[in-house]
Amino acid sequence: DAKTTQPPSMDCAEGRAANLPCNHSTISGNEYVYWYRQIHSQGPQYIIHGLKNNETNEMASLIITEDRKSSTLILPHATLRDTAVYYCIVRPSPGNTPLVFGKGTRLSVIA
Amino acid sequence: NAGVMQNPRHLVRRRGQEARLRCSPMKGHSHVYWYRQLPEEGLKFMVYLQKENIIDESGMPKERFSAEFPKEGPSILRIQQVVRGDSAAYFCASSRDRGNSPLHFGNGTRLTVT
């Protein structure tokens, strides 16, 4: 079972920042937070991951609270192509545990 | 760098036939994962393999399904005697190691059983 909680759906205006929340209140010290997205009928796309520090790459920023019980994925300037289901996943490292996908958040970017 | 390559993209089989799905991991990746996504459902883990070894097969159906990742060549997910309920998208992912390296997914094989 997924160890994260995400809202089922969100809307965002094109050009605005999309802030996708995720609760992971039972996260352990060695578990990383990963974000993926799945655009209709394609394979899941890796976005970003982090342990406790905020992370940024060319796609997004990941903000993790100090107690690590929640995080927010930020898409700084959402476009129509960012419409997808976004998954927040926690996974221990090192380890042999696979990624466990929950239901995610369906983000709709609106023109 | 080429990403994770899966073939075929679409596969149609009649009930009772065998389906063989192939996955070539990213260059330098020795860990392979298979996932299944039924229509309108989420991604479900099936099996995790490292070269020549099955590490975790807790998500594999007990019968008709098998997977391998030989020393040379792609990983193969094999479904014997397919039934209509096997119709789904099958995704393969690969990673560099068992640490915190992310998994990278292919675009899947869509199996249709008629």
Side-chain angles (χ1 to χ4, degrees):
Chain A
D1 290 335
K3 298 168 63 175
T4 62
T5 303
Q6 299 177 252
S9 64
M10 291 181 62
D11 291 339
C12 177
E14 188 179 20
R16 304 297 294 268
N19 296 283
L20 292 93
C22 179
N23 285 324
H24 31 79
S25 58
T26 61
I27 194 169
S28 301
N30 68 336
E31 288 184 314
Y32 281 70
V33 180
Y34 292 80
W35 282 84
Y36 282 78
R37 71 181 182 184
Q38 188 174 25
I39 298 170
H40 179 63
S41 79
Q42 297 181 19
Q45 180 186 20
Y46 165 74
I47 301 173
I48 199 167
H49 74 288
L51 182 63
K52 56 183 179 180
N53 297 322
N54 297 338
E55 301 287 345
T56 296
N57 62 21
E58 65 278 3
M59 288 183 68
S61 295
L62 173 61
I63 308 299
I64 302 174
T65 58
E66 193 169 342
D67 63 8
R68 303 212 316 125
K69 292 185 177 182
S70 66
S71 60
T72 301
L73 179 75
I74 301 172
L75 307 178
H77 305 286
T79 71
L80 298 178
R81 287 180 294 180
D82 292 322
T83 293
V85 179
Y86 286 77
Y87 298 96
C88 169
I89 303 166
V90 297
R91 177 181 182 233
S93 175
N96 294 327
T97 308
L99 292 174
V100 177
F101 287 80
K103 296 184 185 302
T105 295
R106 183 173 297 276
L107 175 68
S108 298
V109 180
I110 303 166
Chain B
N1 285 335
V4 176
M5 304 300 293
Q6 291 189 249
N7 67 82
R9 288 297 307 276
H10 300 275
L11 182 62
V12 179
R13 285 287 179 266
R14 292 183 176 161
R15 279 179 297 170
Q17 291 185 318
E18 178 180 286
R20 291 170 69 87
L21 288 63
R22 294 174 184 78
C23 169
S24 295
M26 288 180 67
K27 186 177 181 180
H29 287 195
S30 58
H31 300 249
V32 165
Y33 310 75
W34 286 93
Y35 285 77
R36 177 166 67 173
Q37 188 169 35
L38 296 168
E40 305 303 321
E41 294 191 14
L43 287 143
K44 300 297 184 186
F45 166 75
M46 299 181 74
V47 63
Y48 163 32
L49 310 102
Q50 197 177 354
K51 282 286 187 181
E52 300 184 275
N53 291 306
I54 295 175
I55 307 301
D56 180 352
E57 56 182 346
S58 58
M60 284 281 268
K62 298 300 180 191
E63 298 177 346
R64 301 186 298 107
F65 285 72
S66 63
E68 63 176 8
F69 187 19
K71 187 176 180 180
E72 300 291 337
S75 176
I76 305 290
L77 180 67
R78 182 182 178 205
I79 312 172
Q80 296 178 290
Q81 299 175 323
V82 297
V83 301
R84 288 220 172 105
D86 297 333
S87 295
Y90 292 83
F91 293 99
C92 169
S94 71
S95 68
R96 189 176 60 231
D97 53 42
R98 59 188 283 267
N100 65 356
S101 298
L103 277 62
H104 294 275
F105 285 79
N107 275 326
T109 293
R110 274 135 191 92
L111 172 66
T112 302
V113 180
T114 62

